[in-house]
Amino acid sequence: MIKSVLDARGYAYAVDEDGDVVGNFQGNLIYFFQLGDNREMLQVRAMVQHVFGMDDVVQLYEFCNAWNHDRLWPKAYVHVQDDGTVNVIGEVLADWEKGVTPEQLDQVLICGIATGCQLADAVAGLRQGRPTS
């Protein structure tokens, strides 16, 4: 169903070796993960393209806390990679234990993509030393 919704909107995407669907939206990788024992949960995860260093972690935590306080989507968090690089990740999560219609799926995918790109734009402002409101 995820691929059908993306196809209907004309979005380009790929399927990785694990079977996860991923697309590039405004330079940011956005994954569409199916989670849970019965794959009943959908996580739209935006991997913001901007990379930071360990010296930026406190600023990024403050940014994510403010973002999460002021906005419902996506939930933003800081991820430190094994190599010491730091990224901001955004996620929108939906639980469809009882099922989902194509319209509901479309709405959540669009929400995850649009708000993930908004998060990326705000993070770009951090990268460039601009206010991020």
Side-chain angles (χ1 to χ4, degrees):
M1 277 181 79
I2 294 169
K3 293 187 284 187
S4 295
V5 168
L6 295 172
D7 286 339
R9 290 199 168 262
Y11 292 149
Y13 61 87
V15 178
D16 69 13
E17 60 276 356
D18 295 324
D20 298 314
V21 178
V22 60
N24 185 319
F25 296 88
Q26 299 177 1
N28 306 288
L29 292 180
I30 298 184
Y31 285 86
F32 307 93
F33 293 119
Q34 291 179 271
L35 308 171
D37 292 339
N38 298 309
R39 298 171 50 99
E40 72 278 9
M41 299 190 60
L42 172 68
Q43 181 190 61
V44 181
R45 183 184 300 171
M47 312 287 285
V48 173
Q49 67 179 311
H50 304 285
V51 179
F52 296 84
M54 290 301 293
D55 292 342
D56 300 309
V57 168
V58 171
Q59 176 191 17
L60 293 174
Y61 281 144
E62 290 171 353
F63 167 82
C64 288
N65 284 340
W67 177 275
N68 292 333
H69 179 270
D70 296 339
R71 294 169 182 82
L72 293 176
W73 302 292
K75 178 182 75 175
Y77 58 91
V78 176
H79 182 74
V80 178
Q81 306 287 342
D82 291 339
D83 66 0
T85 58
V86 182
N87 301 88
V88 174
I89 309 295
E91 73 175 35
V92 172
L93 189 65
D95 183 351
W96 287 314
E97 182 179 351
K98 305 294 182 189
V100 63
T101 67
E103 295 80 11
Q104 289 169 320
L105 180 59
D106 180 71
Q107 184 65 38
V108 170
L109 292 184
I110 293 308
C111 173
I113 293 166
T115 62
C117 289
Q118 290 170 357
L119 174 64
D121 289 344
V123 171
L126 284 176
R127 194 79 183 130
Q128 297 167 2
R130 295 189 324 248
T132 58
S133 57

